[in-house]
Amino acid sequence: MIVFWIMRKQKNALAGIKDYDDIRVTLEDGTKRRCILSHYFIPMYNGHRYQAIHLHGHSHFTDEADIEVDIAEWFNKQGLHTEIYNVGCMYWNYEPVTLDEIIAHGKTVRPNYGMRSDNMEKRSE
């Protein structure tokens, strides 16, 4: 399970504990964004064709996190819109963040992106 926080101006509004959720969040500029919340990365998440955002965790700073970034980029290069953010706590200094802050930050990649953890050699392209 994952704990989801309501991503509004107040960062302390606990929304609940769920495995999956489909919510709408109002950004600071008043626009509404659909967000698919899941503990796990879902490349073809519900609403991806309609500018929904997918927020997930699970992979931490692992090789799996790199593969998730690569998959999302590949889908976008094929013309299949995805907007996916890893919102694992280690990416955000273990503090809650707003959806505005997540979007402004952009793609979430681990500090050693592209380095294999098993032998620390640069991954071949």
Side-chain angles (χ1 to χ4, degrees):
M1 282 198 243
I2 188 168
V3 176
F4 295 118
W5 296 86
I6 298 287
M7 291 154 289
R8 296 194 175 104
K9 289 181 183 176
Q10 72 279 8
K11 295 181 186 178
N12 59 353
L14 180 63
I17 300 173
K18 299 180 178 183
D19 292 322
Y20 178 93
D21 208 351
D22 185 336
I23 65 171
R24 297 205 187 282
V25 176
T26 303
L27 299 175
E28 290 177 8
D29 68 4
T31 60
K32 294 183 187 287
R33 294 296 304 267
R34 181 180 181 191
C35 294
I36 305 302
L37 311 175
S38 174
H39 180 80
Y40 298 102
F41 171 75
I42 306 171
M44 301 295 279
Y45 58 94
N46 194 20
H48 73 90
R49 294 183 201 165
Y50 307 103
Q51 286 69 52
I53 296 171
H54 174 40
L55 305 175
H56 74 93
H58 177 70
S59 54
H60 305 274
F61 285 156
T62 64
D63 294 344
E64 183 179 339
D66 289 359
I67 294 166
E68 293 165 353
V69 169
D70 295 344
I71 290 169
E73 287 178 354
W74 184 86
F75 275 110
N76 287 328
K77 287 178 184 174
Q78 305 309 309
L80 302 168
H81 174 81
T82 64
E83 190 172 350
I84 302 173
Y85 301 97
N86 188 328
V87 292
C89 57
M90 73 290 309
Y91 287 93
W92 306 100
N93 198 29
Y94 297 88
E95 297 175 0
V97 291
T98 66
L99 185 57
D100 288 279
E101 291 169 318
I102 292 167
I103 292 170
H105 181 273
K107 176 174 65 174
T108 45
V109 295
R110 66 184 179 140
N112 55 342
Y113 173 77
M115 301 297 290
R116 301 301 296 185
S117 60
D118 55 348
N119 61 14
M120 294 306 289
E121 292 178 15
K122 179 76 174 146
R123 193 167 27 145
S124 62
E125 300 292 320

